[in-house]
Amino acid sequence: MKKTFDDLYKAFEDRFRGSRELVKDRLKIYLPLLAQVPRQAEGPTLAIDLGCGRGEWLEILAEAGFDATGVDTNARMAQEATDHGLKIELQDAIDYLGGRPNNSVAVISAFHMVEHVPTDYLIRLLDECNRVLTDDGLLILETPNPENISVGTHTFHLDPTHKRPLPPDLLEFLVGQAEFAETAILRLNGAPMIDAGPMERSIHLMFEVARDYACLARKHLVEGPNALAAFVESASQMVPTDTRQIKQWLRSADDEVVDISGGVKAMMTSTALQLQQLTDNLAAQSDMMRTGNIALTNTVASLGKQLKDIIKDRAVAARDTEIERLRHHLAEEEITAREQSFLKDAVIEERDAEIARLSQSMAALAEQVEQLSALTDAFKNSTSWKLAAPIRAMKYLYRTALERPKYNSRDLAAPSPAWTLAPGANTRLLMHHGLLWLRLRPRLAASVRRAVRLAPPIERRLLAFARARSGLIIIDKDWMLDPDPVAFRAWSKLLMTGKSK
């Protein structure tokens, strides 16, 4: 769908003028002036906003107690204002004012409207405003401020419906020509002044301060605190084209530059002198350092030689000390060796004396052994020893018969089979063997018989054994030892095999 010009301009205003909240916040600066406007004793106090647009100022007028009406030729703008509950007349401004009676409206305003109309239209519009306003009514005409370089050269020309910029002096002149007795220029809607250097303040003033201005007017002059000039003095921003102030700042900047330049020159002169002095001092110090370097080199060489000599002397001293220590150690070792030699000689002498003493003792013992051997031989050759031989043999045989012989597995030769039997079998074999042995020795048997008869218990046991178990040799009370030939052969066989009954 193709957009109409009204739609296009509505979109342009939304983008470049700002939001409703932002515009209303800017317009609140006029509230003190609205408070000075007298209200009607009877009926509503009327207010008309020419070129009302979206109706932000109409809302402020209504909140301040005025019966406000907006006039605009843009149907799209008028529709948005109507949607917010505002009263809008879609009509030309002069035509609308022409239908109003004289002295019937307390406030007439036009925000960013007069720059859209030709000069002759503006002159006729101002005449109608003077006719319709009450004697103590208020006229507010706000428009872009071409004193601001950024506005005059750039932002004013963004709106294609703008005719030409209106300098504040021109608009105030035209309002005065429309027979408004009191006029004032309020500069506003710019950035506040900054605390900076003269150059930066000058640029900020010309490009950032007072982007808009308002021409305020009354039909009759009011003096005192309610005068328009008093309000402007308290609320207006500085004039961007205040060349006197800008020149003063720039002159102060020039003075500062001159002062700084003079200070820099003086400082440079002083610095040059200081540099010359430093150069001279450095040259003198360089000569001193060169001389000192030579002396230091010689000193280092001398110290190096002395150090080598000291190291050499210390090495010789250390070697002499070590030699002396070794000599002392050798002397101590020699003394120790001599002492040990003396001790060894003493020990040897003691051992020799002990050996001599032991030799004497051994000689005495040998003599005693010879004496004991002679006594032993004499004893063994005596009749009593010989008579007791059978008894000793019987004792040995008896003990052997009753005890199991001990056998060590480490012995090279195993015992004969006859001696590996049980104690009872050994006893029988020994008894058999002993009786046969006595049978072959009649004289010894007679001696044994006499000896056994001296011990009746032993004799009874021998006789009981022969009768009960022997079967080989018959022993009677007269000790008849005649063996049975058959039994003798059987006994011999048993004796050879190591078995017994």
Side-chain angles (χ1 to χ4, degrees), residues 316-329:
V316 172
R319 185 177 59 189
D320 294 341
T321 302
E322 182 64 17
I323 292 172
E324 184 63 26
R325 187 186 67 79
L326 292 175
R327 287 177 179 175
H328 182 69
H329 181 69

Side-chain angles (χ1 to χ4, degrees), residues 5 27 85-86 191 201 218 230 243 254 295 300 311 318 333 345 378 444:
F5 181 79
L27 294 174
L86 303 174
R201 286 202 305 271
R218 290 189 181 120
T243 56
D254 291 339
V300 170
I311 292 173
E333 291 292 333
D345 293 341
L444 182 58

Side-chain angles (χ1 to χ4, degrees), residues 360-373:
Q360 294 176 0
S361 299
M362 288 179 66
L365 288 175
E367 185 178 354
Q368 292 177 5
V369 168
E370 289 178 359
Q371 294 176 1
L372 290 174
S373 297

Side-chain angles (χ1 to χ4, degrees), residues 180-210:
F180 284 91
E182 183 182 9
T183 60
I185 299 298
L186 174 67
R187 292 173 175 84
L188 71 168
N189 296 337
M193 280 302 298
I194 59 175
D195 184 11
M199 295 293 293
E200 188 174 356
R201 286 202 305 271
S202 300
I203 293 174
H204 182 80
L205 176 62
M206 291 185 291
F207 285 87
E208 301 295 337
V209 176

Side-chain angles (χ1 to χ4, degrees), residues 258-454:
V258 171
D259 294 339
I260 292 173
S261 177
V264 169
K265 288 181 180 179
M267 184 174 63
M268 290 179 64
T269 302
S270 176
T271 303
L273 293 175
Q274 292 178 2
L275 288 175
Q276 184 62 39
Q277 293 177 357
L278 288 174
T279 302
D280 297 339
N281 292 335
L282 288 174
Q285 291 178 3
S286 177
D287 295 337
M288 293 176 61
M289 290 178 64
R290 189 178 299 106
T291 304
N293 189 19
I294 295 173
L296 180 61
T297 302
N298 296 332
T299 302
V300 170
S302 176
L303 290 175
K305 183 178 180 181
Q306 293 178 10
L307 181 60
K308 290 181 180 179
D309 294 339
I310 291 172
I311 292 173
K312 183 177 179 181
D313 293 341
R314 287 185 178 180
V316 172
R319 185 177 59 189
D320 294 341
T321 302
E322 182 64 17
I323 292 172
E324 184 63 26
R325 187 186 67 79
L326 292 175
R327 287 177 179 175
H328 182 69
H329 181 69
L330 289 174
E332 291 180 351
E333 291 292 333
E334 184 177 359
I335 293 172
T336 303
R338 289 178 182 177
E339 292 177 353
Q340 291 179 355
S341 178
F342 292 152
L343 292 175
K344 288 180 180 180
D345 293 341
V347 171
I348 290 172
E349 290 178 358
E350 290 179 359
R351 289 182 179 178
D352 291 341
E354 182 67 20
I355 290 171
R357 187 181 62 79
L358 291 175
S359 298
Q360 294 176 0
S361 299
M362 288 179 66
L365 288 175
E367 185 178 354
Q368 292 177 5
V369 168
E370 289 178 359
Q371 294 176 1
L372 290 174
S373 297
L375 291 175
T376 301
D377 292 339
F379 180 73
K380 288 182 178 181
N381 292 326
S382 65
T383 304
S384 60
W385 176 262
K386 293 179 180 180
L387 290 175
I391 296 174
R392 290 194 300 273
M394 291 298 293
K395 179 181 178 183
Y396 173 75
L397 291 174
Y398 181 75
R399 186 171 56 190
T400 304
L402 295 178
E403 295 179 359
R404 181 185 296 272
K406 296 181 180 179
Y407 168 65
N408 192 344
S409 61
R410 292 177 295 179
D411 294 342
L412 296 176
S416 62
W419 297 99
T420 59
L421 301 176
N426 289 336
T427 302
R428 289 193 296 273
L429 290 175
L430 289 173
M431 290 296 292
H432 293 165
H433 186 74
L435 293 175
L436 289 175
W437 186 75
L438 290 175
R439 172 68 179 80
L440 299 176
R441 293 168 177 81
R443 294 179 61 185
L444 182 58
S447 299
V448 171
R449 184 170 58 250
R450 287 193 300 271
V452 170
R453 284 180 176 175
L454 295 176

